[in-house]
Amino acid sequence: MEEFASRLGVGVRSVAKWDAQPTIVPKPETQAALDTFLDQGGDDVKARFAVLVEGDRPPPPRVTHGNGVSAALPDFGLPGLPVGTATPELVTYLRQSLHQHYTADNRLGPRVLLPMVAANVKMIDQMRLAASGRLLDDLLSIGAGYAEFAGWLSEDSGDAGGAASWYARALEWSEVAEDDRLASFSLTRRAVQAIGQGDVRYGAKLARAAQRFNTPITARVRTIAATTEALGHAIAGDGGEADRALDTASGFLGIGLDAPLDGDPSYGRYCELDLYIDITRAKVQLELGRPEAVEAFTTVIAALPSDWQRDRAQYTALLAHAHLLAGQPEDASARGEEALTIALATGSTRTVGEVRRMAAKQAAMWSGHAPAERLREMLAAVPDVNGR
């Protein structure tokens, strides 16, 4: 029971309660995770589950792909829906489910969410073959949303190659569907990845390109793109360009306030944009070595929603860096331990890597410092992304 609860991302008491009270309905994101685990089981597992739930009901219908592989399709609860056929109702369901995945991301992390999101992309790729017209555009648009999110989850779990592949799929499908907002966001996500890999000048140009979709409905995404550009310039050491891009981001805040949020790939995944600009400003200050970074990150972390645990870990790791540069090794170690604990619970390899980088700098600056040694011992027990 403990292992199952850990894989699902819930408490052991919750699993025990489900066992004692089978009529309990879990939260939507938990239901989605349970569906994924069921689909990963063999046909015999699914058959036994069907018998337990509805007596004689057969296992879920299956579709045979071009490579001869037979795979189960989910039951979307839409009466009369032929297997593998796209409908407007199905697209609506998929859009709602994607938003639920966004909401669950900060609670469950990539370990639980990535398999089910990737499965949806594959299913959409199969269904698009028989779609046409507006339905095909809508299917490609929501498919691009799932592909972009799979890219983000892959990036957060340490799979850079997989992330780049998902982002490329998202950009292609959003361009074909003429979804400017999602195309802009896909470019922005790829820019974030490039900057994270050290290709900062190219990343800044990608983020600048993402701002070219000059319509009110894209203003929210362009704000995020401008902050990404600012961070790229800061890492490259160009403080003037970084400040300019931050000013551009602030200028986008008053545009498109009445634009619909339905289908916005950034909605539900970012805090309020004025706070997000403050977060980026704190990162810029850190990258440029400005002394305001400690206070800026402390203020930002205090303003985060209480359930945004993965982001709290990421910004706490950056606060540890800021303390380090400010000559405060005890505070740096304390914040590093805090960030590492949350990162391990959510499966965020990205944050673990951030703590590793901080600890390496700390070792060079304060060799033999007791809190730093304790943090390095904690990190030594954590495998890196290659399993070592």
Side-chain angles (χ1 to χ4, degrees):
M1 184 177 294
E2 290 82 0
E3 181 181 355
F4 178 71
S6 176
R7 290 187 61 193
L8 192 60
V10 301
V12 176
R13 293 177 61 184
S14 296
V15 177
K17 186 180 292 185
W18 298 339
D19 186 50
Q21 304 177 47
T23 58
I24 291 178
V25 179
K27 294 179 180 179
E29 59 265 25
T30 306
Q31 293 182 47
L34 287 167
D35 288 343
T36 297
F37 292 148
L38 176 62
D39 193 56
Q40 291 172 349
D43 288 341
D44 57 334
V45 173
K46 296 170 188 171
R48 289 198 302 273
F49 178 78
V51 170
L52 285 172
V53 174
E54 295 186 37
D56 304 353
R57 184 180 177 183
R62 306 182 72 82
V63 60
T64 301
H65 300 281
N67 58 5
V69 176
S70 178
L73 282 178
D75 177 4
F76 293 100
L78 302 173
L81 178 64
V83 174
T85 300
T87 68
E89 293 80 9
L90 176 56
V91 171
T92 298
Y93 174 90
L94 289 169
R95 196 176 302 281
Q96 293 171 345
S97 296
L98 181 57
H99 184 69
Q100 290 174 352
H101 292 327
Y102 292 161
T103 303
D105 183 22
N106 255 293
R107 298 185 181 94
L108 301 180
R111 185 183 298 114
V112 173
L113 287 177
L114 182 55
M116 67 183 78
V117 172
N120 274 311
V121 179
K122 293 178 182 178
M123 181 188 68
I124 291 168
D125 194 25
Q126 178 70 22
M127 289 191 298
R128 70 173 177 80
L129 299 176
S132 62
R134 174 63 182 273
L135 181 59
L136 176 58
D137 288 343
D138 290 345
L139 197 62
L140 289 172
S141 179
I142 188 59
Y146 274 94
E148 178 279 315
F149 191 46
W152 158 243
L153 293 171
S154 297
E155 185 178 349
D156 194 39
S157 60
D159 181 7
S165 178
W166 285 120
Y167 290 147
R169 170 75 65 90
L171 183 59
E172 178 179 321
W173 280 2
S174 59
E175 289 280 13
V176 173
E178 299 184 11
D179 188 333
D180 291 346
R181 185 165 52 181
L182 191 49
S184 175
F185 193 68
S186 298
L187 277 171
T188 301
R189 291 304 317 160
R190 180 65 186 94
V192 171
Q193 184 189 33
I195 291 170
Q197 293 173 330
D199 197 357
V200 293
R201 298 188 188 281
Y202 181 66
K205 290 186 73 65
L206 280 169
R208 185 69 175 269
Q211 299 168 54
R212 73 175 185 269
F213 302 95
N214 190 17
T215 59
I217 199 172
T218 63
R220 178 180 171 87
V221 173
R222 281 185 288 150
T223 303
I224 298 168
T227 61
T228 302
E229 181 191 357
L231 184 60
H233 290 310
I235 297 174
D238 193 338
E241 280 296 290
D243 291 336
R244 178 200 57 75
L246 284 172
D247 289 342
T248 298
S250 296
F252 288 147
L253 287 178
I255 303 173
L257 294 179
D258 297 328
L261 292 174
D262 181 45
D264 191 322
S266 68
Y267 180 57
R269 300 168 68 182
Y270 291 80
C271 52
E272 294 298 324
L273 289 186
D274 53 352
L275 174 59
Y276 189 72
I277 292 174
D278 288 343
I279 290 170
T280 305
R281 198 177 302 277
K283 292 179 180 180
V284 166
Q285 290 170 346
L286 177 62
E287 292 296 339
L288 295 172
R290 293 173 177 171
E292 303 93 339
V294 169
E295 181 180 356
F297 274 113
T298 301
T299 301
V300 160
I301 292 169
L304 288 177
S306 60
D307 58 346
W308 286 46
Q309 290 302 307
R310 208 247 334 276
D311 285 352
R312 185 176 302 277
Q314 178 71 7
Y315 302 144
T316 300
L318 294 176
L319 174 58
H321 275 279
H323 279 301
L324 192 66
L325 294 180
Q328 301 163 347
E330 291 85 357
D331 291 326
S333 295
R335 299 291 77 77
E337 289 186 21
E338 181 182 347
L340 181 61
T341 300
I342 302 173
L344 293 177
T346 60
S348 180
T349 303
R350 184 173 59 115
T351 297
V352 174
E354 195 69 57
V355 177
R356 287 191 192 279
R357 286 187 287 275
M358 188 282 294
K361 291 181 181 178
Q362 190 178 38
M365 296 170 66
W366 283 283
S367 179
H369 188 264
E373 291 296 331
R374 184 174 63 249
L375 177 59
R376 285 196 291 277
E377 288 175 3
M378 292 176 63
L379 286 166
V382 180
D384 65 16
V385 294
N386 297 312
R388 292 190 294 271

